Amino acid sequence: MAVRPARKFVSADPEKCVGCAVCEYVCSLEKEKVFNPTKSRIRVVRLHPLINLSVTCRLCEDAPCVASCPRDALEQSEETGVILIDEEKCNGCGWCIEACDYGAIMLHPETRVVFTCDLCDGEPKCVEWCPEEALDFVTRDILAQKARITVVKKLFQEAMKTVPG
Amino acid sequence: MSYAKRILHLDLSTGKTEIEPLKDEMTKKYIGGIGLGIRLLLDHSKPGMDPFSPEIPLIFATGPLSGTMAPTAGNSYAVVSKSPASGGVGEAKSHGFFGAEIKRAGYDVFIFKGKAEKPVYVWVDDDSVQLMDAKHLLGKSPAETEETIREELGDLYIRVAAIGPAGEKLVKIACILNDTTRAAGRTGMGAVMGSKNLKAVAVRGTKDVTVAKPDEFREFVKMLHERMKGPATTKYRTLGTPENVLVLNSLGALPTRNFTNATFEGAEKVSGEYLNKRFVAKIIGCSSCAMRCEHIAVVPEGPYKGTTSRMEYEPLWALGINCGIDRLDAIIKAMSVCNYYGMDGIGAGVIVGFAMDCYEHEILTKKDTDGLDLRFGNYEALLEMLKKMGTREGLGDILAEGVKRAAEKIGKGAEKYANHIKGLEMTGYDIRGLKTAALGYAVSFRGADHNRHGAYAPDVKGSVDRFKAEKGRGKLVREIEDLYTIIDSLILCKFSRGVYYETFKDLAQYYTLATGIEVTPEELQVTGERINNLARVFNVREGFSRKDDHLPAKVMSTPIPDEVVSKGSYVSQKELNLLLDDYYEVRGWTKDGIPTIEKLNEIGLNDLAYIVKPKKEK
């Protein structure tokens, strides 16, 4: 079986994200030339001053939003994994919204069809602007690598101090 | 164009709403925030009205940058009304998320008038404005109120500004809190809200906010983001404002035990350094901000384990050092108690510090305190007293009137321990040895305040002799004041002030990119001057003059006793006179501190000449 290229998506680090919503502003400005979080492809959730996270499309393998659409308006790009929306077919019924576990696909307040993160043609503006560098444009493999490096650094805290350089 | 160009009037007595277009002339002359708010306050009130009379407007004013991605300014609003503390201009700004939501709902300003028959909250859902029953919210903290409203209206993104039990009970230091941790803290705006039977304002806005020149605006903001990562904001991003504790202590400018001393032996234990090392769990940020300054402290162990609060220098000082308390866990607890009742932490700490001073001098005894041993350093007594103030129980009922009125009620010479200016409680700078700041405090239109002038900066930095009162300080104070009124009308966070390298030039460009209204740096400076004069004229209309530009009794009578560089320093009446004369002269005001008609004409306030006229003819 052919190996599919690893998909990169936008992921927020819960340790770093402070819920400032700069990503929402940048996204709505980039995509719609206005400031309006309800038109942003990435949304911030603050449950408590200490609990903040930006959430956007995670480009699921075998995306449930695509499968849930009764009108076949959604399709996942083989190459990038981005969810492509046929605005002619979409009637805003919202099955995909319910199917998404992350609230990453939303109904547009004006066009009344759904929209989601398109990764800004491979250069996500939110990642570029995030003041905390909490957003990463990464593959799942790189996220796993980072987690491994962090845990090893923690385990070898003392030894790390003596490593030259 | 980043203004919504709409003012929402809501009469709480009748429930009637009205939309008034926001005129271009108003935005040009007063910008937004406190500038616009004070003008609307003046226009919508009559002289001598009681701050708690239903006719007094309570104004929530956004700025031209609210709702945009402008860092710090994108999220803000200002609350303006007549202050129950001073009887003059009341104003306080708050950040977080709430301000942006007002703009997105399609308004620049809310003006609440009247008094609801029963407790209500206002629910603004874009164009729909409703009065909702708030009976079930009575007695709840602002944070609980926020949570309850969100739940019952069923939308996480609803933003709420609310008062706590203190505001309901018209405690004169009651504040308005939004987004859990952010407060429009000073001058008793929460009490004005309470007097209207208005428990909360809930807003959900889904409209677009646009700017005149989006691409250039974005580049400008990008530049600010870069600057915000640099040295201008390091303090706020690292130790935060509590860094001041050790700095001021070393200068002998840290007011301790209600201005008994100017250094604190427990300073290390309540320092920013220790706070960050031991208590700060995370530094978070407001909406649109690229700095993030908000130090969220969590008590890790002991009797107050788990207590969580945002911590800043001023309330830390007031509730801690000013009460002689050297335990950060108790100070964090005290702050969270203030947040619970919805009280300004600065005012609350200064009032309890005053009561402790009275207790130490036997003006208050255990009889008055219901058995509380209210000596300096007793943190348990502080916590109990805060509750009593928040609920107006026992001595708390008297203290809830603010330090000035409480001292008058207590009598027996208590006045000399009451640290306030114009009825507003002092803040955490010992101005006995900071004489430029002393002038700034004396003339501040909202009363005792470091944030109207920032005039401690030249003193602390050493660019002037801080122990000397001399000509030239008036010009220093005036210049910063005129910049600060612009900052508070654009409603930028003052922690970001250092990133506008070219002050009026940067701010004029910022304003123009957002609004499309051309303004030169010079014109903007005049606007800053106009807003300062406007506020002064409002106060003059309410009977203020030179006599009200005073300093707390201790500052003028008791030299700093500590063995420290500032030892012996205080501000004499002669020095204050010199400073005031100098300031009034550079302001173009009379010897009595009244703006002249010529000055008002010069800066476009001709229509207010009637206020200053009769006094001039006397």
Side-chain angles (χ1 to χ4, degrees), chain B residues 276-338:
Chain B
N276 278 272
K277 198 173 124 195
R278 188 91 180 91
F279 298 94
V280 173
K282 192 163 186 175
I283 304 173
I284 62 167
C286 294
S287 161
S288 82
C289 185
M291 283 167 57
R292 55 266 1 270
C293 68
E294 196 171 319
H295 292 59
I296 304 294
V298 180
V299 178
E301 61 184 3
Y304 311 119
K305 186 177 173 177
T307 305
T308 304
S309 180
R310 171 187 172 208
M311 287 307 294
E312 294 294 343
Y313 166 71
E314 283 290 341
L316 185 158
W317 161 77
L319 298 160
I321 299 157
N322 191 56
C323 294
I325 289 163
D326 63 0
R327 283 184 60 150
L328 272 174
D329 61 344
I331 298 171
I332 295 166
K333 178 70 187 174
M335 189 65 237
S336 79
V337 171
C338 289

Side-chain angles (χ1 to χ4, degrees), chain B residues 112-332:
Chain B
F112 304 111
K113 266 194 180 180
K115 179 181 180 180
E117 207 176 309
K118 286 183 234 160
V120 292
Y121 74 88
V122 175
W123 166 217
V124 179
D125 185 8
D126 284 333
D127 290 331
S128 149
V129 181
Q130 296 175 70
L131 286 184
M132 311 286 280
D133 182 28
K135 205 171 137 202
H136 60 302
L137 300 171
L138 290 186
K140 284 194 193 295
S141 73
E144 289 166 349
T145 303
E146 185 180 330
E147 207 183 314
T148 309
I149 290 177
R150 264 198 205 124
E151 262 171 35
E152 71 191 31
L153 297 177
D155 187 338
L156 174 79
Y157 291 95
I158 289 169
R159 306 295 176 185
V160 178
I163 56 171
E168 293 169 25
K169 291 192 179 295
L170 312 186
V171 173
K172 299 231 162 89
I173 53 162
C175 62
I176 301 169
L177 275 118
N178 56 281
D179 302 298
T180 315
T181 56
R182 313 295 311 192
R186 306 219 72 210
T187 70
M189 296 296 92
V192 175
M193 191 155 152
S195 76
K196 299 192 173 307
N197 258 335
L198 179 57
K199 175 68 181 172
V201 180
V203 187
R204 180 79 170 105
T206 62
K207 296 180 186 179
D208 295 340
V209 175
T210 57
V211 290
K213 296 171 185 165
D215 294 335
E216 286 160 272
F217 184 81
R218 170 157 55 182
E219 286 317 300
F220 192 86
V221 168
K222 187 83 191 170
M223 177 187 79
L224 293 179
H225 272 233
E226 289 312 313
R227 289 182 184 180
M228 282 178 170
K229 291 173 189 163
T233 65
T234 306
K235 171 179 172 181
Y236 304 105
R237 288 183 288 112
T238 53
L239 288 180
T241 52
E243 180 185 299
N244 294 359
V245 172
L246 293 185
V247 174
L248 293 176
N249 197 46
S250 70
L251 295 169
L254 183 67
T256 301
R257 286 179 287 270
N258 198 39
F259 288 72
T260 304
N261 298 94
T263 56
F264 186 39
E265 63 286 353
E268 293 280 350
K269 286 159 79 180
V270 297
S271 64
E273 286 78 354
Y274 189 56
L275 176 76
N276 278 272
K277 198 173 124 195
R278 188 91 180 91
F279 298 94
V280 173
K282 192 163 186 175
I283 304 173
I284 62 167
C286 294
S287 161
S288 82
C289 185
M291 283 167 57
R292 55 266 1 270
C293 68
E294 196 171 319
H295 292 59
I296 304 294
V298 180
V299 178
E301 61 184 3
Y304 311 119
K305 186 177 173 177
T307 305
T308 304
S309 180
R310 171 187 172 208
M311 287 307 294
E312 294 294 343
Y313 166 71
E314 283 290 341
L316 185 158
W317 161 77
L319 298 160
I321 299 157
N322 191 56
C323 294
I325 289 163
D326 63 0
R327 283 184 60 150
L328 272 174
D329 61 344
I331 298 171
I332 295 166

Side-chain angles (χ1 to χ4, degrees), chain B residues 524-564:
Chain B
L524 196 62
Q525 193 161 4
V526 172
T527 298
E529 185 185 4
R530 182 182 309 122
I531 295 167
N532 265 299
N533 276 270
L534 169 72
R536 184 78 180 188
V537 168
F538 179 87
N539 282 353
V540 167
R541 195 187 79 173
E542 302 306 316
F544 285 60
S545 64
R546 182 180 185 121
K547 68 182 187 316
D548 300 289
D549 293 342
H550 67 98
L551 293 170
K554 271 198 190 180
V555 171
M556 297 193 63
S557 64
T558 315
I560 292 174
D562 311 47
E563 292 302 329
V564 63

Side-chain angles (χ1 to χ4, degrees), chain A residues 17-18 20 35-36 44 46 132, chain B residues 157 206 209 282 285 288 292:
Chain A
C17 181
V18 299
C20 70
F35 297 110
N36 190 341
V44 176
R46 173 175 287 187
E132 282 297 303
Chain B
Y157 291 95
T206 62
V209 175
K282 192 163 186 175
S288 82
R292 55 266 1 270

Side-chain angles (χ1 to χ4, degrees), chain B residues 423-464:
Chain B
L424 187 69
E425 288 75 15
M426 265 305 279
T427 67
Y429 290 86
D430 200 324
I431 54 175
R432 286 178 288 191
L434 302 168
K435 291 188 180 171
T436 319
L439 172 60
Y441 272 75
V443 298
S444 154
F445 59 73
R446 70 173 188 177
D449 191 9
H450 53 288
N451 264 334
R452 287 264 42 88
H453 51 79
Y456 50 87
D459 289 332
V460 170
K461 283 182 192 148
S463 55
V464 295

